[in-house]
Amino acid sequence: LGQSALQFLRVTKQYLPHVARLCLISTFLEDGIRMWFQWSEQRDYIDGTWNCGYFLASIFVFINLFGQLSGCILVLSRNFVQYACFGLFGIIALQTIAYSILWDLKFLMRNLALGGGLLLLLAESRSEGKSMFAGVPTMRESSPKQYMQLGGRVLLVLMFMTLLHFDMNFFYILQNIVGTALIILVAIGFKTKLAALTLVIWLFGINIYFNAFWTIPAYKPMHDFLKYDFFQTMSVIGGLLLVVALGPGGVSMDEKKKEW
């Protein structure tokens, strides 16, 4: 398995970061487009929840729409990626408060996992910035990047905590054991690329099976719930693909092993 995974990484090395970025921003893209098509519903919901009036509720929807779509365009076009990441961090924080996600543990953990993916994207954009000054010593500046990668890996892991089922069913017990082992490997950065690639395949399978929103008519509320879950999961897959493409960074067992 290890050899075939390494072969896969060699073949896909130049495409993987692009696919990772596209997956990572997919939830923001979908949500931004949803704001456009459901403008009045979103505005009425915010107004009804916070009693803030149509004007402020409309500004909230506009910030979500413009912030998410412009952030996605910047990330995909590789322009001002750091500013785009900070903007998208702001959107996550805004939505966490506005939609009362703070009190829903599952949604909070998923939003934190999304933040983890953005941290990895930020770390990647920093390394691209450095490569322009090849040969210039950058020891001092590399450490924030390493800690961003560590933080990103640890936050991504929270997504999987929401998938663990506390059930005595054999399949769920097996899934919990294997999933937890892979999660720990990614978090501590041991055999990171292989563990992250395995998690990508596992998560993709779960996503297609459980969040098949296309099988439910668009007028049913469940369609929107599953669609939201589907694209959030795709974004976490994007974050994991960045781990696969770039490795775990300096603060990891894999990196320490090289020193030994």
Side-chain angles (χ1 to χ4, degrees):
L1 180 68
Q3 284 307 310
S4 54
L6 287 171
Q7 184 60 34
F8 169 79
L9 291 176
R10 271 195 289 274
V11 173
T12 58
K13 193 175 180 184
Q14 63 200 99
Y15 310 109
L16 211 51
H18 299 293
V19 175
R21 277 189 291 272
L22 183 60
C23 288
L24 188 55
I25 56 111
S26 65
T27 193
F28 299 107
L29 199 56
E30 187 271 333
D31 202 48
I33 293 166
R34 190 206 327 236
M35 292 289 162
W36 175 264
F37 286 109
Q38 295 183 0
W39 180 284
S40 52
E41 292 100 309
Q42 295 292 336
R43 182 199 58 205
D44 293 347
Y45 174 81
I46 291 298
D47 181 29
T49 306
W50 291 95
N51 256 340
C52 58
Y54 266 24
F55 179 68
L56 284 177
S58 297
I59 287 177
F60 170 82
V61 178
F62 175 75
I63 289 170
N64 267 291
L65 187 149
F66 179 75
Q68 291 185 106
L69 294 183
S70 57
C72 291
I73 290 164
L74 291 176
V75 167
L76 289 178
S77 63
R78 319 295 289 282
N79 292 309
F80 306 107
V81 175
Q82 299 193 19
Y83 296 111
C85 286
F86 288 125
L88 293 172
F89 275 128
I91 296 285
I92 291 175
L94 186 65
Q95 289 190 352
T96 300
I97 295 163
Y99 292 112
S100 307
I101 287 170
L102 216 50
W103 318 120
D104 185 322
L105 193 60
K106 181 182 169 184
F107 279 113
L108 180 63
M109 286 168 98
R110 289 190 170 200
N111 266 13
L112 287 169
L114 212 49
L118 287 176
L119 261 182
L120 292 168
L121 194 57
L122 201 54
E124 187 213 17
S125 70
R126 282 180 71 94
S127 64
E128 281 182 347
K130 299 291 177 288
S131 63
M132 291 159 58
F133 308 102
V136 179
T138 53
M139 258 313 282
R140 192 171 46 83
E141 291 205 56
S142 70
S143 56
K145 182 196 156 193
Q146 294 176 5
Y147 290 110
M148 278 182 208
Q149 286 178 285
L150 171 66
R153 288 200 323 269
V154 171
L155 286 174
L156 273 183
V157 155
L158 294 176
M159 176 73 179
F160 297 92
M161 309 294 274
T162 68
L163 296 174
L164 297 177
H165 290 269
F166 299 102
D167 201 322
M168 292 318 285
N169 176 318
F170 173 74
F171 171 72
Y172 284 141
I173 291 171
L174 183 68
Q175 182 180 300
N176 287 352
I177 292 168
V178 174
T180 305
L182 291 169
I183 285 168
I184 291 167
L185 290 178
V186 170
I188 64 172
F190 183 69
K191 301 277 184 202
T192 319
K193 289 189 174 191
L194 183 59
L197 188 58
T198 312
L199 278 177
V200 164
I201 295 163
W202 178 48
L203 198 51
F204 187 71
I206 285 176
N207 203 21
I208 296 291
Y209 184 75
F210 287 110
N211 295 328
F213 65 90
W214 52 88
T215 61
I216 291 173
Y219 62 85
K220 292 193 173 178
M222 199 60 184
H223 176 91
D224 271 356
F225 276 117
L226 290 181
K227 194 176 181 184
Y228 177 78
D229 262 9
F230 179 86
F231 283 104
Q232 262 214 327
T233 309
M234 286 308 293
S235 289
V236 174
I237 285 173
L240 283 167
L241 283 173
L242 275 180
V243 174
V244 174
L246 304 172
V251 188
S252 63
M253 297 275 288
D254 286 347
E255 206 56 39
K256 291 287 173 276
K257 242 173 30 192
K258 290 177 190 172
E259 293 172 16
W260 299 338

